[in-house]
Amino acid sequence: MTSAGEPIKVLLADDQALVRSGFKLLLDGESDITVVGEAATGAEAVERARALRPDVVLMDIRMPELDGIKATGEIVRTRGLEQVRVLILTTYDTDAYVFEALQVGASGFLLKDAGPAELLHAIRVIAAGEALLAPRITRRLIAQFTAERTATQIAEDRLAVLTQRERQVLALVGQGLSNDEIGTQLFLSPATARTHVSHAMAKLGARDRAQLVVVAYQTGLVSRGQ
């Protein structure tokens, strides 16, 4: 999360120079966002992230040398980069790699055809420590790649560390609800809902909210069509 009053530092990772230029022009026009570096390959993205310590990395999936998934994994595993958030950019809403990217530690994903306002919102949400999963594809995509769920007993064992309330909160996180919406649904204050989310993340070893969504689907708390 960024410090109050400081601009959000963004690293652009995309193998197309024109795409990076377009993003840079848009982002540098915002008073609360600044582009601190660019990378044309996955390997460069890892190197620049370690050197520049950005708040958010806009990461393309398909890049030379090291793809966006592997680059994301390396970044989130690097000591000292725990606060760096990776926002995956993908061209196709059927991209099978997105789910894998969430598993290795990405904080969310966005389609490349998203409008400027949507991209700016995504960066601010990610920088604030929340997860962002493009609503057009979240549920279908994750359900598709968790069709073969963990066996019932394994799922129960994994969820055993949670209280009943935390299970309820996890299920609602999996459905894409915000803390405010969870609070309304369960008659809790947003702050209490946030506390339950934080406890669930700690108990399940989830890096952020995006990984809670994955767990909710894997364990069957959220099902297709829900």
Side-chain angles (χ1 to χ4, degrees):
M1 296 176 64
T2 58
S3 300
E6 294 185 4
I8 300 167
K9 297 180 293 184
V10 177
L11 172 64
L12 304 175
D14 195 295
D15 62 343
Q16 297 183 44
L18 283 176
V19 172
R20 296 198 308 274
S21 296
F23 284 149
K24 181 173 172 54
L25 186 63
L26 171 67
L27 301 184
D28 279 344
E30 299 296 307
S31 60
D32 62 334
I33 300 175
T34 182
V35 175
V36 295
E38 299 180 30
T41 70
E44 280 186 9
V46 175
E47 178 187 342
R48 300 283 167 81
R50 289 171 175 168
L52 300 171
R53 296 177 182 266
D55 299 306
V56 176
V57 180
L58 290 188
M59 181 78 74
D60 188 25
I61 284 185
R62 297 183 177 92
M63 288 192 295
E65 293 185 20
L66 196 68
D67 65 43
I69 295 173
K70 292 177 181 175
T72 296
E74 290 203 21
I75 289 171
V76 301
R77 287 193 302 268
T78 298
R79 181 174 296 180
L81 299 185
E82 292 84 3
Q83 298 303 312
V84 175
R85 297 293 181 246
V86 179
L87 177 61
I88 295 291
L89 296 171
T90 181
T91 305
Y92 306 105
D93 66 359
T94 55
D95 200 329
Y97 299 112
V98 172
F99 179 68
E100 188 179 350
L102 292 176
Q103 287 186 307
V104 301
S107 291
F109 62 87
L110 193 67
L111 294 176
K112 275 190 173 180
D113 64 359
E118 194 174 352
L119 176 61
L120 293 171
H121 172 71
I123 290 171
R124 291 176 177 125
V125 168
I126 292 291
E130 298 292 340
L132 186 133
L133 306 172
R136 286 165 53 186
I137 54 180
T138 303
R139 296 184 187 125
R140 189 191 76 240
L141 183 67
I142 294 180
Q144 179 181 350
F145 295 105
T146 54
E148 295 183 8
R149 288 208 188 91
T150 311
T152 302
Q153 187 56 54
I154 296 177
E156 268 309 305
D157 290 346
R158 191 172 185 186
L159 296 174
V161 296
L162 302 181
T163 64
Q164 185 60 35
R165 178 63 84 189
E166 287 163 355
R167 286 194 186 206
Q168 292 174 327
V169 169
L170 175 60
L172 295 176
V173 169
Q175 293 176 45
L177 272 64
S178 67
N179 290 334
D180 286 350
E181 291 168 333
I182 291 171
T184 299
Q185 185 106 348
L186 299 179
F187 303 101
L188 303 171
S189 70
T192 300
R194 179 184 292 275
T195 297
H196 285 308
V197 171
S198 297
H199 287 169
M201 284 172 54
K203 290 180 178 180
L204 294 170
R207 185 172 187 265
D208 60 19
R209 202 181 186 97
Q211 291 191 321
L212 284 185
V213 175
V214 174
V215 173
Y217 275 90
Q218 286 178 326
T219 56
L221 282 180
V222 178
S223 59
R224 293 186 188 213
Q226 202 167 358

